[in-house]
């Protein structure tokens, strides 16, 4: 009987290197790679893209952030990314705090690229990835890489299809690294690291992120002999003596070498151990603060699993202990609990470096010189940025979608210029001053005679004041009355005071105020 894969017989798909373009076009029309393997109708993809498996989202393993809080964090992160160099140099503690709270999912890929220094590396090596991608590569490494592709997150919709888009990009990134660092070649633990990056960014960005992790954060981890990971295992064991003496004595009693339980933890940066929500939070802090976060996670898991005498009653030997460490209780890996415990572990980058020097001395005394001497490890994004100062243009954000708008014809341009000039002219015109009615109007003055032959007609009596009169029908204001006071007519008798004028005399300080 033929073997089934993901509920369906496997298709005869050739090597990724030999996939023709027509096959690619057929697959691209289906949407995601999960549809190729029969997950079209019954699949339920979680918020991270997992269709199933132990790392799928669950309410018990993750913390939900309210949407309004996410929007606020996104605005803050956009401001930081726009002025990255200033924030990293002057306010790095604030950057660290925001990484500990969790990077917003919409900006996580861009933030990881900036934190790791991959953005600067990409800008300073324009066209390098395309050059490596176009080369055939070493067949020795290509065969090994191709065999490992289907093992990377098989329940994630990006990698579920053999020969799908996710596996192709993963193949390109890993092949490019073997050409970029031929002395190191390919290590199986690099595949999950590259796959996590590919879930959040394009292939070129993922390549430079992988370069930074392999060279700056975890130097020597993927080199032949794995000497660096053995050294860090001894460092972890020495730090455990201070953090959890009970767990340290138990592991020492049964002579359980650290390389037996911490290799996958450290080399894969816990990407294959923790629930996915916890993986993302650990990576947020790891790319900000460096390898000390990986040490802290390992110490927390060892302390919670082997840190009390009650827990040690169930594991009386090496086999039981290893089984317990391979199946850690989910409550210890829950996002909120794990992040709190990580921040409380009293282990700094200085402690790790001090223990690193002592372990190197012990290594040279017992085993001789190291066969592979990697570059010094850089602890965190700020140290990486200071070690390789970026240019201003290296940090500029380049939009991923660029729309080419056709230039308008000349007639439309002329019409737009005319409308703009009209708008400017209309803006320059002074605004009209509105006149407000005088609550105490004065009686109108009689008009002077137009000629000596025609005597002036007597002025009609002034109407009673009406508050509903519009400004156009109101008499002159006090400015006109002042003008009249300066030059009163000499040939006219004084007008009698109206009832309204008599009532307003009490408001004046002068008894003889006639409001003329």
């Amino acid at each position: 009987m033929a073997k089934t894969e993901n509920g369906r017989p496997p298709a005869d798909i050739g090597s990724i290197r030999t996939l023709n373009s027509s096959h690619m076009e057929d697959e691209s029309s289906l949407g995601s790679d999960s549809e190729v393997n029969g997950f079209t109708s019954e699949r339920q993809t979680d918020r991270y893209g997992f269709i199933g498996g132990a790392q799928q989202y669950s309410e018990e393993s993750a913390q939900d952030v309210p949407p309004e809080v996410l929007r606020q964090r996104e605005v803050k992160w956009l401001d930081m990314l726009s002025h990255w160099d200033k924030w990293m140099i002057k306010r790095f503690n604030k950057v660290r705090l925001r990484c500990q709270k969790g990077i917003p999912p919409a900006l996580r890929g861009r933030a990881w690229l900036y934190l790791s220094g991959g953005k600067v590396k990409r800008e300073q090596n324009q066209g390098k990835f395309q050059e490596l991608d176009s080369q055939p590569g070493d067949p020795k490494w290509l065969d090994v890489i191709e065999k490992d592709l289907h093992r990377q997150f098989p329940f994630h919709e990006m990698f579920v299809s053999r020969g799908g888009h996710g596996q192709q990009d993963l193949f390109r990134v890993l092949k490019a690294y073997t050409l970029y660092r031929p002395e190191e070649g390919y290590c199986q633990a690099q595949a999950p690291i590259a796959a996590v990056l590919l879930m959040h960014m394009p292939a070129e960005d993922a390549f430079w992120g992988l370069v930074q992790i392999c060279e700056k954060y975890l130097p020597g981890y993927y080199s032949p002999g794995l000497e660096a990971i053995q050294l860090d295992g001894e460092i972890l064991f020495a730090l455990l003596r201070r953090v959890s003496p009970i767990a340290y004595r138990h592991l020492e009693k049964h002579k359980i070498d650290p390389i037996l339980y911490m290799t996958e933890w450290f080399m894969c940066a816990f990407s294959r151990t923790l629930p996915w929500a916890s993986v993302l939070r650990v990576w947020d802090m790891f790319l900000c603060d460096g390898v000390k976060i990986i040490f802290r996670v390992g110490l927390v898991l060892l302390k919670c699993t082997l840190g009390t005498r009650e827990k040690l009653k169930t594991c009386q030997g090496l086999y039981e202990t290893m089984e317990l460490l391979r199946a850690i209780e989910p409550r210890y890996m829950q996002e909120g609990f794990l992040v709190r415990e990580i921040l409380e572990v009293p282990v700094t980058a200085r402690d790790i470096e001090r223990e690193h020097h002592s372990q190197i001395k012990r290594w040279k005394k017992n085993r001789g010189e190291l066969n592979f001497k990697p570059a010094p490890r850089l602890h965190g994004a700020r140290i990486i940025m200071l070690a390789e100062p970026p240019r201003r243009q290296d940090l500029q954000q380049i939009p991923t979608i660029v729309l080419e708008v056709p230039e308008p014809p000349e007639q439309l341009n002329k019409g737009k210029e005319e409308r703009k000039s009209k708008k400017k002219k209309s803006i320059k015109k002074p605004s009209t001053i509105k006149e407000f009615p005088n609550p105490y109007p004065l009686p109108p003055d009689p008009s002077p005679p137009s000629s000596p032959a025609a005597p002036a007609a007597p002025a009609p009596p002034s109407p009673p004041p009406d508050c509903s009169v519009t400004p156009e029908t109101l008499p002159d204001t006090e400015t006109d009355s002042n003008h009249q006071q300066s030059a009163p007519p000499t040939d006219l008798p004084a007008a009698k005071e109206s009832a309204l004028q008599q009532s307003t005399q009490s408001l004046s300080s002068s008894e003889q105020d006639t409001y003329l």
Side-chain angles (χ1 to χ4, degrees):
M1 182 176 179
K3 295 182 180 179
T4 61
E5 181 183 354
N6 294 330
R8 143 178 203 178
D12 294 333
I13 299 177
S15 171
I16 289 181
R17 288 170 283 171
T18 60
L19 283 173
N20 54 28
S21 60
S22 61
H23 178 70
M24 292 298 303
E25 292 174 358
D26 294 340
E27 282 193 353
S28 63
S29 63
L30 293 174
S32 64
D33 290 338
S34 58
E35 296 179 359
V36 178
N37 276 14
F39 286 97
T40 55
S41 59
E42 299 180 359
R43 67 166 183 153
Q44 292 183 354
T45 306
D46 68 357
R47 64 178 63 181
Y48 305 118
F50 284 93
I51 302 170
Q55 292 183 306
Q56 193 174 20
Y57 168 81
S58 64
E59 295 181 357
E60 294 79 15
S61 64
Q63 285 182 329
D64 289 332
V65 182
E68 57 272 15
V69 177
L70 275 180
R71 299 294 87 80
Q72 294 175 4
R73 291 180 179 176
E74 287 173 358
V75 172
K76 294 177 181 178
W77 271 96
L78 285 172
D79 177 66
M80 286 199 308
L81 293 172
S82 300
H83 309 87
W84 187 249
D85 51 345
K86 296 180 181 178
W87 278 87
M88 292 295 289
I89 294 174
K90 298 180 180 179
R91 303 191 64 186
F92 179 70
N93 289 333
K94 193 67 176 179
V95 178
R96 175 190 285 125
L97 180 62
R98 290 177 178 173
C99 289
Q100 292 171 357
K101 291 181 179 179
I103 301 174
L107 298 172
R108 179 167 274 128
R110 195 186 311 178
W112 283 2
L113 196 64
Y114 274 74
L115 286 168
S116 64
K119 174 70 166 62
V120 177
K121 201 81 170 177
R122 187 191 70 186
E123 297 300 327
Q124 293 178 354
N125 295 271
Q126 288 286 344
K128 184 65 175 179
F129 175 74
Q130 288 76 10
E131 176 189 345
L132 298 173
D133 190 29
S134 62
Q135 298 179 17
D138 190 346
K140 173 182 66 175
W141 297 122
L142 298 184
D143 294 337
V144 180
I145 292 173
E146 193 172 349
K147 292 177 183 178
D148 286 342
L149 293 178
H150 69 282
R151 302 171 185 167
Q152 312 310 322
F153 305 105
F155 290 102
H156 194 277
E157 63 175 356
M158 188 174 180
F159 303 101
V160 71
S161 172
R162 284 182 178 266
H165 301 285
Q167 291 194 11
Q168 291 174 41
D169 286 343
L170 182 59
F171 179 83
R172 293 170 57 205
V173 170
L174 296 176
K175 183 197 77 171
Y177 188 82
T178 60
L179 296 171
Y180 185 76
R181 287 286 180 265
E183 67 278 6
E184 289 189 18
Y186 166 71
C187 178
Q188 288 183 336
Q190 289 175 321
I193 297 290
V196 174
L197 295 172
L198 279 171
M199 293 179 193
H200 297 86
M201 60 189 74
E204 182 178 5
D205 295 347
F207 168 75
W208 291 115
L210 176 66
V211 169
Q212 291 296 98
I213 291 175
C214 295
E215 294 184 354
K216 302 297 191 301
Y217 289 87
L218 307 175
Y221 268 35
Y222 311 105
S223 60
L226 303 179
E227 294 175 334
I229 194 69
Q230 296 181 54
L231 277 173
D232 279 359
E234 298 299 330
I235 295 172
L236 176 69
F237 193 59
L239 295 174
L240 181 65
R241 183 175 188 176
R242 181 172 39 153
V243 174
S244 178
I246 295 177
Y248 172 82
R249 287 194 295 268
H250 177 79
L251 294 173
E252 187 181 35
K253 174 184 176 182
H254 295 285
K255 297 181 180 179
I256 301 176
D257 196 7
I259 202 72
L260 297 176
Y261 54 82
M262 55 81 61
T263 303
E264 185 179 75
W265 291 358
F266 278 51
M267 295 187 73
C268 301
F270 291 95
S271 60
R272 299 177 64 173
T273 305
L274 303 174
W276 200 250
S278 302
V279 170
L280 298 179
R281 294 291 300 277
V282 167
W283 275 55
D284 290 346
M285 297 183 288
F286 164 60
L287 293 177
C288 179
D289 279 331
V291 76
K292 74 176 182 182
I293 299 298
I294 303 298
F295 277 96
R296 288 183 180 183
V297 177
L299 293 171
V300 168
L301 296 182
L302 290 172
K303 177 182 176 182
C304 293
T305 306
L306 306 172
T308 60
R309 299 188 183 279
E310 290 77 12
K311 296 173 183 176
L312 295 180
K313 291 180 181 179
T314 59
C315 48
Q316 299 296 327
L318 184 147
Y319 178 79
E320 293 81 6
T321 303
M322 291 301 302
E323 287 297 317
L324 200 61
L325 292 176
R326 288 194 185 101
I328 299 174
E329 293 186 39
R331 58 182 176 139
Y332 299 137
M333 300 185 291
Q334 191 268 341
E335 177 187 353
F337 173 83
L338 184 62
V339 171
R340 285 194 302 269
E341 292 295 321
I342 290 171
L343 298 178
E344 293 177 1
V345 174
V347 172
T348 63
R350 183 174 297 178
D351 297 333
I352 295 174
E353 284 302 313
R354 187 184 302 115
E355 192 62 38
H356 179 74
H357 289 303
S358 62
Q359 291 297 331
I360 285 182
K361 291 181 181 179
R362 186 175 302 175
W363 180 286
K364 291 180 179 180
K365 181 179 179 181
N366 297 333
R367 307 186 189 183
E369 291 290 335
L370 293 170
N371 296 323
F372 187 85
K373 295 181 180 179
R377 179 158 47 196
L378 301 181
H379 294 271
R382 189 170 186 270
I383 305 299
I384 292 174
M385 185 174 181
L386 295 177
E388 298 177 352
R391 302 170 298 180
R392 187 65 183 176
Q393 59 267 26
D394 295 339
L395 298 174
Q396 291 180 356
Q397 300 189 55
I398 303 175
T400 55
I401 300 176
V402 180
L403 297 178
E404 295 183 359
V405 182
E407 297 182 359
E410 296 181 359
Q411 294 181 355
L412 294 177
N413 288 336
K414 291 181 180 179
K416 289 182 180 180
E417 292 176 359
E418 291 177 359
R419 287 194 294 270
K420 288 181 180 179
S421 62
K422 288 181 181 179
K423 287 182 180 179
K424 291 181 180 179
K425 290 179 181 179
S426 61
I427 293 173
K428 291 180 180 178
K429 289 182 180 180
S431 58
T432 57
I433 301 174
K434 294 183 179 180
E435 295 183 357
F436 297 95
N438 189 355
Y440 305 105
L442 298 177
D445 295 334
S447 59
S450 58
S451 63
S462 60
D466 187 4
C467 294
S468 63
V469 179
T470 58
E472 288 79 1
T473 61
L474 287 174
D476 297 335
T477 56
E478 289 184 3
T479 56
D480 298 329
S481 66
N482 293 335
H483 179 69
Q484 292 170 2
Q485 288 179 5
S486 62
T490 57
D491 55 346
L492 296 176
K496 293 182 179 182
E497 295 178 350
S498 63
L500 180 61
Q501 289 173 336
Q502 291 176 1
S503 65
T504 55
Q505 287 179 1
S506 61
L507 300 175
S508 176
S509 60
S510 174
E511 296 180 359
Q512 304 299 327
D513 191 356
T514 59
Y515 286 84
L516 294 178

